[in-house]
């Protein structure tokens, strides 16, 4: 598995992963009906950088990195990660997150913030904690699960610069 | 003073307020060098709604309202408020915030979130608390003050729906 910058043409392979995860409706606050083009804008075109984990031409996962705020908040970046449902349980998310922390430092960021980690996504919460992120906020009932039940979301944060 | 929806032409009067506040560098995580056009996109064009507080043709303050997340997070809105430095201390921010909560409920939102309230902006923190917002998160060193000293920022949240 290699992690490399995503090219425009990769979107055809990233989109099915993005679509499946968003349709599950359990982890991301994106519109499940989002179009392929709008998703590309969010994930590939607008962020400062987008990477893919590739293995023999297959895309196992992906992440984007962007500034979380501008100006006096511009030293904190934000990332989002997606792993293909077919590639779960292989440590892909962990490798992507570690990679993103190196990239963030190289780009001059001091810290990384996740704005919206769904509290019921315990696997992700556990992994981010293991990788040094802390829960710094809890957004009560900020996520609506597919059955319409409200759940909390966490804000997670890690100071990267030594 | 009336609070009404902002029109495109209002930007010429909103922009000097926006510019002065962003140049102060104490409260908003916007690039101090932002152009008039980019600021208009952020404040007036992209949000779901933008309002101004007007008194005899003068703009005393303004706010925008937009969804804070999409899809399963789309029931929480986000607002930003600016009061003209010339109109401070007259309760304009308070009236704008109360107005925005009514508008949010009318638009079908359940809750309102402020993503980045600079902790040293104690006047704002006190006011939002008085108006029912809670500090639900603390972002350590997420704000760089003009002298480059780091300060915290708060995430504040209010459930609006009864």
């Amino acid at each position: 598995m290699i992690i490399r910058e995503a090219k425009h043409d990769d979107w055809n392979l990233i989109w099915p992963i993005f679509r499946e995860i968003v349709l599950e409706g359990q982890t991301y606050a994106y519109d499940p009906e989002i179009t392929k083009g709008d998703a590309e804008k969010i994930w590939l075109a607008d962020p400062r950088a987008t990477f893919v984990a590739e293995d023999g031409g297959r895309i196992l996962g992906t992440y984007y990195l962007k500034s979380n705020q501008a100006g006096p908040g511009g030293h904190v970046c934000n990332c989002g990660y997606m792993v293909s449902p077919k590639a779960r349980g292989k440590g892909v998310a962990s490798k992507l997150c570690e990679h993103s922390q190196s990239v963030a430092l190289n780009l001059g960021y001091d810290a990384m913030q996740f704005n919206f980690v769904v509290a019921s996504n315990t696997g992700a919460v556990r992994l981010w904690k293991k990788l040094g992120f802390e829960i710094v906020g809890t957004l009560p009932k900020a996520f609506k699960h597919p059955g319409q039940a409200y759940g909390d979301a966490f804000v997670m944060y890690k100071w990267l610069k030594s």
Side-chain angles (χ1 to χ4, degrees), chain A:
Chain A
M1 186 183 92
I2 58 153
I3 298 177
R4 60 162 177 82
E5 272 213 73
K7 297 167 303 210
H8 177 71
D9 286 352
D10 290 319
W11 187 246
N12 285 322
L13 298 174
I14 300 172
W15 165 241
I17 301 171
F18 185 103
R19 185 151 193 269
E20 184 167 352
I21 289 171
V22 169
L23 276 175
E24 286 173 351
Q26 298 289 0
T27 52
Y28 267 92
Y30 293 135
D31 181 356
E33 306 292 318
I34 193 169
T35 64
K36 187 180 176 189
D38 285 347
E40 182 179 3
K41 187 169 151 52
I42 288 173
W43 200 268
L44 193 58
D46 286 351
R48 185 150 172 198
T50 303
F51 286 81
V52 289
E54 185 197 320
D55 191 14
R58 286 175 53 226
I59 302 295
L60 306 186
T62 176
Y63 76 87
Y64 73 77
L65 185 151
K66 63 182 181 188
S67 297
N68 201 44
Q69 302 284 346
H75 58 290
V76 182
C77 69
N78 164 251
C79 289
Y81 310 85
M82 288 189 176
V83 173
S84 166
K86 297 179 194 73
R88 283 176 188 164
K90 295 176 179 175
V92 178
S94 178
K95 289 199 180 78
L96 288 174
C97 184
E98 283 171 347
H99 190 273
S100 69
Q101 292 180 48
S102 301
V103 170
L105 281 169
N106 278 338
L107 290 172
Y109 291 104
D110 293 341
M112 188 179 287
Q113 181 174 330
F114 302 149
N115 296 309
F116 204 85
V117 182
V118 179
S120 63
N121 190 3
T122 49
V125 174
R126 198 182 315 120
L127 179 59
W128 305 148
K129 280 184 176 170
K130 192 176 148 196
L131 295 172
F133 289 80
E134 273 182 275
I135 294 174
V136 295
T138 300
L139 311 171
K141 301 194 281 186
F143 191 81
K144 214 179 262 188
H145 289 279
Q148 299 297 301
Y150 290 111
D152 296 347
F154 296 136
V155 181
M156 300 188 74
Y157 195 90
K158 179 178 180 179
W159 194 261
L160 301 174
K161 210 175 163 187
S162 50

